[in-house]
């Protein structure tokens, strides 16, 4: 079993249409605090990002935010975190979040979220990192993303072993357990 002491959560900087997204951001934050797992995230107070950070803080956990100077100067930073790092640009910010985390979870979100989870999958595939990646598939939000990956496997542009690196569960506890049991795939990227 992997020991996960810090998890980076990628999620919407908006709230989304269904209040279930906020409820689950709150539940995941509570679970991380209870399990003494530090939350690493994008450092904003907006949308689901703000909800999960607030929840971890409320239940006595630790939150490390990582934001860019530009967003920080726009006043988007969360003001009540354990720690906030301000990085020069988005690439440095992402690299810092990846370095600081033992694993990654994506919750519902937009381009930012999809970019971030896809980047960490790609880094795992190239063996640049070896860290579990999971989707919290609330209300089947990610079904079409998963379908696209399966289509990519069918077209032989993605190996099934690399497709299966991605851990999926609709419940936060189930997802955490699956991520702890994740075993690295040791296979070359290319067919
Ligand atoms: P999106 O899914 O497009 O709403 O973008 C959210 C994701 O991108 C988060 O996981 C953040 O890491 C990053 N991001 C987007 N907007 C912001 C913001 N205003 N402040 C900090 N990070 C952001």
């Amino acid at each position: 079993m992997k020991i996960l002491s810090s998890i980076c959560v990628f999620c919407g900087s908006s709230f989304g249409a269904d209040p279930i997204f906020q409820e689950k951001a709150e539940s995941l934050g509570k679970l991380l605090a209870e399990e003494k797992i530090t939350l690493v995230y994008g450092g904003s107070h907006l949308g689901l990002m703000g909800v999960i950070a607030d929840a971890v803080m409320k239940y006595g956990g630790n939150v490390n935010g990582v934001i860019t100077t530009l967003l920080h100067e726009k006043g988007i930073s969360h003001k009540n975190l354990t720690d906030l790092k301000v990085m020069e640009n988005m690439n440095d910010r992402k690299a810092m979040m990846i370095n600081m985390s033992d694993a990654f979870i994506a919750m519902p979100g937009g381009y930012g979220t999809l970019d971030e989870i896809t980047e960490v999958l790609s880094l795992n595939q190239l063996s640049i990192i070896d860290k579990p990646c999971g989707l919290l598939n609330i209300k089947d939000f990610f079904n079409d993303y998963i379908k696209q990956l399966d289509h990519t496997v069918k077209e032989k542009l993605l190996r099934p072993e690399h497709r299966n690196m991605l851990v999926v569960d609709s419940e936060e506890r189930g997802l955490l357990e699956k991520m702890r049991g994740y075993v690295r795939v040791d296979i070359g990227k290319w067919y």
Side-chain angles (χ1 to χ4, degrees):
M1 287 297 243
K2 275 191 186 291
I3 294 173
L4 304 177
S5 26
S6 58
I7 295 185
C8 184
V9 177
F10 307 127
C11 61
S13 52
S14 306
F15 290 107
D18 194 322
I20 188 78
F21 299 144
Q22 289 180 61
E23 286 160 28
K24 291 302 247 177
E26 166 104 16
S27 318
L28 178 59
K30 181 170 184 262
L31 179 66
L32 294 179
E34 284 168 1
E35 299 270 336
K36 309 223 174 316
I37 297 171
T38 296
L39 170 70
V40 176
Y41 88 116
S44 159
H45 64 75
L46 300 172
L48 299 177
M49 299 176 69
V51 174
I52 190 165
D54 285 342
V56 176
M57 296 302 295
K58 173 172 150 193
Y59 291 100
N62 289 320
V63 182
N64 291 335
V66 189
I67 201 157
T68 58
T69 313
L70 198 72
L71 293 170
H72 185 58
E73 285 169 358
K74 276 191 183 169
I76 283 165
S77 303
H78 198 297
K79 301 280 179 294
N80 180 32
L81 303 177
T82 317
D83 182 57
L84 180 73
K85 292 196 188 329
V86 183
M87 309 299 292
E88 202 169 311
N89 58 54
M90 289 298 266
N91 282 341
D92 288 355
R93 170 177 163 278
K94 230 178 341 179
M96 175 61 76
M97 291 199 292
I98 292 169
N99 275 336
M100 289 170 77
S101 310
D102 296 329
F104 309 94
I105 292 177
M107 288 190 53
Y111 276 145
T113 301
L114 293 176
D115 162 62
E116 290 165 333
I117 191 67
T118 309
E119 169 158 352
V120 291
L121 283 166
S122 168
L123 293 175
N124 267 291
Q125 174 183 248
L126 292 167
S127 301
I128 294 169
I129 58 171
D130 172 23
K131 301 182 179 186
C133 301
L135 297 180
L136 188 56
N137 197 17
I138 304 160
K139 235 184 87 181
D140 293 337
F141 178 82
F142 286 109
N143 282 10
D144 289 332
Y145 179 79
I146 295 166
K147 211 162 132 194
Q148 179 65 43
L149 299 182
D150 289 337
H151 176 65
T152 312
V153 169
K154 202 166 130 242
E155 293 292 351
K156 293 198 181 307
L157 293 161
L158 172 64
R159 283 182 181 268
E161 294 85 352
H162 291 144
R163 148 71 183 87
N164 292 332
M165 290 184 322
L166 182 59
V167 174
V168 184
D169 205 289
S170 58
E171 292 299 327
E172 52 282 359
R173 267 183 201 284
L175 184 64
L176 201 55
E177 282 322 299
K178 284 184 188 170
M179 289 172 71
R180 282 179 170 139
Y182 168 83
V183 181
R184 171 195 164 72
V185 195
D186 215 355
I187 185 167
K189 187 218 176 289
W190 299 278
Y191 274 105

